[in-house]
Amino acid sequence: MQTKTASPNLSEQNTLATVTVESQLLPTVEATTEYLPAPESDALRYDPVAIAEYYKNRPVQVWGRALGIVRRFASFGLGILWDQKTGQTVKNQPKRAEQIRQLLTELGPAFIKVGQALSTRPDLVPPSYLEELTKLQDQLPPFPNQLAYQFIEEELGAPPQEIYAELTAMPVAAASLGQVYKGKLKTGETVAVKVQRPGLAESITLDVYILRKLSAWVQNNVKQVRSNLVEITDEFAARIFEEMDYSQEGRNAERFAELYGHLKDIYVPQIYWQYTNTRVLTMEWINGTKLTNIEALRQQGIDAAYLIEVGVQCSLRQLLEHGFFHADPHPGNLLATTDGQLAYLDFGMMSQVKPYQRYGLIEAVVHLVNRDFEGLARDYVSLEFLTPDTDLTPIIPALAGVFNNALGASVAELNFKSITDQLSEVMYEYPFRVPAYYALIIRSLVTLEGIAINVDPNFKVLSKAYPYVAKRLLTDPSPELRASLRDLLFKEGSFRWNRLENLLKNAQSSDDYDISQALNQALEFLFSERGDFIRDYLVDEIVKSVDTLSRQSLQNATAVVSEWFGLHVEQPAVSVADQQKLENIKRIIAILQETRGFDPLKVATAIPQLIAKPETQKMGQQIAGRLAQRLVARFIRDVFLKNEPVDVYEPVNPALSLPASR
């Protein structure tokens, strides 16, 4: 567990240096250093059936709220149309941006969440709107201190002055679900105290009920919509309900720290359980700066682009390794600390990716990089975008058309916006549906990419992600990824050396890539029953390489001797394909030697163990036999069949055939 200072849901706490906040000194009581473990109270649970039962007898309340929402958006929409008609769109844009921020603020937390997501997308939202929507992250109107102090006393069993040595007279930040005070414990630790907004559950419950009814109506009446909007709404609502339980948020923070706190330049705040309950959360304080405040970071000597990459690598491990991920990484929840690390805050909205979904996502990246659109179509089935009975025949060429354009010359050019833009037409034409779990993944990734684009307009998440994917493919022993690696390296019975070279180069860039682990797992797989086909192929390639080397050596020696005696000897040509394979092997050996952690001594000590394996001895016998066959075949050709166009360089290996990948 890390013990560095942090605070929840604060965006840029170093603004305290420029904005004076008068601290309220509270009477002291006896200090204590006892920190209680996480309480085991039940988290708030989203129950759509109970909510529907409650509101079905309250039509006036429901329709009043629904009409209020429609009226506000209609008024805003009419203003936009009037600006377009009168040619004042650019002039009035700042005013309209302020209006939409105020509108979302008035409508409450559910709509504020939408605005927060949009505030990270400079590629979708004009700058003036971005500036206003960014205020939704931490500059919402606060609620009265009296209510906040009342909640503290109700939740923690004592008034604030008996719990904290200091507490700011006013909140230092106010966000969608609560507001934060800076305080100090009796034991001297500086903390952030987050207090929930009053009436929060009632407001969110009603909005979720209306949104769910609207989703059901659209799903049942708009044929073009194939995604289960009700499931997506339920998933989003369940996360918001969990976010309203600060005890659950504390447990999420501790789990996040356990899984990811050890990663380089990542840290997570400590929770003070003695001062935490359902509506009050006390955690450590961070002095930090938003990643989007480029100038402030530059003045501090902090590399924002590096921290974005740190965030991407952490997100990859969240989504693809452990499956427990931060679903709300807006700029207010990601801070650059004064010592140049990336601090994660606000662990209320978290979600889970199941193992089969994680492997499915990795396989989809592999098939995308490999331009294997048939495999990609199957991935969409396994990831539940398509039903198992869907006819993939027309979808495969459609995907090929989409991604061949999106990929361009390189995978590095691909970003999530280009994916969604290109996929929209295909998903409209074919029976795709967005599964509920994926909606939060997309929200998380798109939000993170939005922050990255703000820092570096040319930032591409996939190009930064592929080294991690390469590392997983080379080191993960799971059958799913072994199959993906085979699909990547073999095509129609041929080994694609350039793919292996690319994988090894990319894996070098992954901080936690262990070359020894990769080699050990490669050998373990090679000598397993599943590695039969690779052993056969390896024997064939070794025979070809040794044969090529021996011929080259003989040619070189013959050329030298011939030069000494002034003789001209015609040299048999070595095939371009054999020469290319030899060059590939040399490059791969060079990459391995340059890789961090490669130890030739470990390789040398492993050789005797490998030689002792029955499979190795069998391979040796096969290699010797096939080399002898080649030597005899070449002798016969050179002596007896000089003028016959017979190819004896490539004897057929009937044992060499790729098994089905699925």
Side-chain angles (χ1 to χ4, degrees):
M1 172 64 64
Q2 302 219 10
T3 57
K4 299 182 180 179
T5 59
S7 78
N9 211 17
L10 288 178
S11 60
E12 197 165 350
Q13 296 163 5
N14 62 352
T15 54
L16 291 177
T18 56
V19 180
T20 302
V21 180
E22 180 183 358
S23 291
Q24 174 182 346
L25 298 179
L26 304 173
T28 60
V29 296
E30 183 180 356
T32 176
T33 57
E34 178 186 6
Y35 301 121
L36 302 181
E40 296 299 327
S41 61
D42 291 334
L44 290 174
R45 290 288 178 258
Y46 169 64
D47 186 343
V49 176
I51 292 173
E53 185 68 24
Y54 178 82
Y55 281 114
K56 75 176 184 180
N57 296 320
R58 293 168 171 79
V60 174
Q61 185 179 357
V62 172
W63 279 104
R65 174 62 172 170
L67 291 174
I69 294 171
V70 171
R71 178 179 57 81
R72 285 180 170 86
F73 277 110
S75 176
F76 178 76
L78 288 172
I80 295 291
L81 291 174
W82 179 254
D83 289 344
Q84 293 174 348
K85 187 174 182 179
T86 58
Q88 296 184 338
T89 299
V90 175
K91 177 184 176 182
N92 288 342
Q93 201 172 73
K95 181 174 74 172
R96 300 303 180 197
E98 184 179 358
Q99 286 176 350
I100 191 65
R101 175 183 59 78
Q102 291 174 344
L103 186 155
L104 295 174
T105 300
E106 291 169 1
L107 288 176
F111 294 89
I112 290 170
K113 289 288 182 187
V114 175
Q116 287 176 344
L118 289 173
S119 74
T120 67
R121 300 302 308 192
D123 50 338
L124 300 178
V125 180
S128 55
Y129 280 81
L130 277 179
E131 186 177 350
E132 286 295 326
L133 292 176
T134 299
K135 297 176 182 178
L136 296 174
Q137 295 165 9
D138 58 356
Q139 300 177 40
L140 294 170
F143 60 91
N145 280 348
Q146 183 179 358
L147 277 176
Y149 292 167
Q150 176 186 329
F151 285 178
I152 291 174
E153 183 168 0
E154 290 175 359
E155 293 294 312
L156 304 183
Q161 62 269 24
E162 295 182 14
I163 298 172
Y164 304 102
E166 296 179 11
L167 205 63
T168 51
M170 297 295 294
V172 295
S176 55
L177 303 188
Q179 60 193 35
V180 182
Y181 298 85
K182 184 178 182 181
K184 184 176 287 188
L185 298 180
K186 305 295 184 180
T187 47
E189 295 91 342
T190 302
V191 295
V193 182
K194 183 160 75 168
V195 185
Q196 193 172 109
R197 287 185 176 275
L200 186 63
E202 293 83 353
S203 169
I204 287 180
T205 300
L206 179 55
D207 285 345
V208 164
Y209 173 75
I210 293 171
L211 182 59
R212 194 174 191 272
K213 296 287 284 186
L214 178 62
S215 299
W217 185 89
V218 172
Q219 187 173 305
N220 294 330
N221 293 279
V222 181
K223 294 181 179 180
Q224 292 85 350
V225 176
R226 300 185 186 92
S227 298
N228 193 326
L229 297 183
V230 173
E231 278 190 10
I232 293 174
T233 302
D234 286 344
E235 178 73 12
F236 182 68
R239 300 289 82 78
I240 290 184
F241 268 69
E242 286 183 4
E243 199 172 359
M244 288 191 289
D245 183 351
Y246 288 172
S247 292
Q248 180 63 39
E249 179 175 343
R251 290 189 287 273
N252 290 342
E254 290 198 334
R255 186 181 177 196
F256 193 92
E258 180 183 353
L259 294 176
Y260 314 114
H262 66 281
L263 296 177
K264 183 181 178 183
D265 290 327
I266 293 285
Y267 75 79
V268 184
Q270 179 183 337
I271 305 298
Y272 293 93
W273 286 110
Q274 188 175 356
Y275 313 108
T276 294
N277 211 327
T278 303
R279 293 184 295 174
V280 176
L281 176 68
T282 302
M283 65 198 309
E284 293 177 302
W285 179 272
I286 289 176
N287 289 310
T289 307
K290 284 183 182 178
L291 296 181
T292 49
N293 193 340
I294 307 300
E295 185 57 36
L297 293 173
R298 188 179 294 114
Q299 291 175 2
Q300 298 174 55
I302 295 173
D303 186 351
Y306 167 73
L307 289 183
I308 287 292
E309 190 164 342
V310 168
V312 169
Q313 296 304 317
C314 184
S315 292
L316 289 169
R317 283 153 182 79
Q318 292 174 50
L319 292 170
L320 303 179
E321 196 163 315
H322 298 290
F324 182 66
F325 71 96
H326 197 301
D328 194 21
H330 66 70
N333 294 335
L334 293 172
L335 297 186
T337 65
T338 53
D339 58 352
Q341 292 185 296
L342 181 65
Y344 275 82
L345 309 175
D346 194 352
F347 301 93
M349 185 171 285
M350 311 293 290
S351 194
Q352 191 79 32
V353 186
K354 296 175 182 177
Y356 80 90
Q357 295 164 345
R358 294 175 228 160
Y359 289 126
L361 289 169
I362 294 176
E363 289 175 318
V365 172
V366 172
H367 290 141
L368 180 61
V369 170
N370 205 25
R371 288 177 167 81
D372 178 1
F373 301 112
E374 182 178 352
L376 186 61
R378 292 196 302 267
D379 293 332
Y380 278 119
V381 175
S382 64
L383 289 170
E384 300 168 353
F385 283 78
L386 296 167
T387 58
D389 59 348
T390 302
D391 180 12
L392 301 181
T393 306
I395 294 177
I396 293 169
L399 290 174
V402 165
F403 286 110
N404 275 328
N405 292 332
L407 283 166
S410 153
V411 174
E413 297 176 11
L414 189 64
N415 60 32
F416 288 105
K417 183 177 184 297
S418 68
I419 290 177
T420 53
D421 287 350
Q422 295 281 343
L423 266 180
S424 59
E425 292 184 12
V426 175
M427 288 192 165
Y428 180 82
E429 186 175 352
Y430 297 100
F432 281 84
R433 58 180 184 178
V434 178
Y437 78 88
Y438 193 70
L440 282 177
I441 292 177
I442 281 293
R443 182 179 188 273
S444 175
L445 290 177
V446 167
T447 301
L448 183 62
E449 187 181 61
I451 299 173
I453 290 172
N454 201 306
V455 173
D456 177 7
N458 297 317
F459 190 93
K460 300 294 183 292
V461 168
L462 190 59
S463 65
K464 302 296 183 182
Y466 196 62
Y468 170 80
V469 173
K471 187 265 300 187
R472 284 291 299 277
L473 285 173
L474 291 170
T475 60
D476 195 307
S478 67
E480 295 90 346
L481 294 193
R482 294 296 91 187
S484 292
L485 181 60
R486 182 178 60 195
D487 290 345
L488 184 66
L489 297 181
F490 289 91
K491 184 176 183 180
E492 298 175 354
S494 297
F495 188 84
R496 291 184 284 185
W497 293 97
N498 63 319
R499 293 292 186 187
L500 178 58
E501 187 178 341
N502 186 45
L503 272 180
L504 291 170
K505 282 182 178 178
N506 274 284
Q508 281 181 319
S509 305
S510 184
D511 288 337
D512 55 354
Y513 175 52
D514 186 342
I515 182 63
S516 298
Q517 181 187 6
L519 290 175
N520 289 338
Q521 293 193 3
L523 291 173
E524 181 182 341
F525 181 73
L526 175 65
F527 292 108
S528 69
E529 186 177 343
R530 291 175 295 157
D532 281 345
F533 78 98
I534 295 184
R535 291 199 297 274
D536 285 334
Y537 189 88
L538 194 57
V539 166
D540 202 60
E541 289 300 312
I542 291 173
V543 168
K544 292 177 184 177
S545 299
V546 171
D547 187 45
T548 302
L549 279 172
S550 63
R551 277 187 283 161
Q552 282 187 337
S553 300
L554 180 61
Q555 289 173 17
N556 293 337
T558 304
V560 171
V561 172
S562 300
E563 187 178 347
W564 287 348
F565 292 98
L567 302 176
H568 174 71
V569 179
E570 184 178 345
Q571 302 289 348
V574 177
S575 72
V576 175
D578 285 348
Q579 184 65 39
Q580 184 61 49
K581 288 176 183 175
L582 190 59
E583 292 300 320
N584 286 330
I585 292 173
K586 289 179 180 178
R587 285 199 300 271
I588 287 170
I589 292 173
I591 292 171
L592 291 174
Q593 291 174 335
E594 295 168 1
T595 300
R596 181 181 61 255
F598 178 77
D599 187 350
L601 291 177
K602 288 184 179 179
V603 176
T605 55
I607 290 176
Q609 300 174 9
L610 294 177
I611 293 176
K613 287 181 175 290
E615 295 87 356
T616 307
Q617 295 173 8
K618 182 180 177 182
M619 289 173 66
Q621 294 168 0
Q622 291 173 332
I623 291 169
R626 292 184 196 175
L627 282 172
Q629 287 176 13
R630 282 180 170 242
L631 182 61
V632 171
R634 188 174 297 112
F635 175 77
I636 293 173
R637 187 204 65 177
D638 291 343
V639 174
F640 300 107
L641 304 172
K642 262 191 172 182
N643 298 321
E644 295 292 331
V646 178
D647 182 9
V648 293
Y649 281 89
E650 303 292 340
V652 176
N653 173 15
L656 182 59
S657 60
L658 269 176
S661 62
R662 297 283 170 191

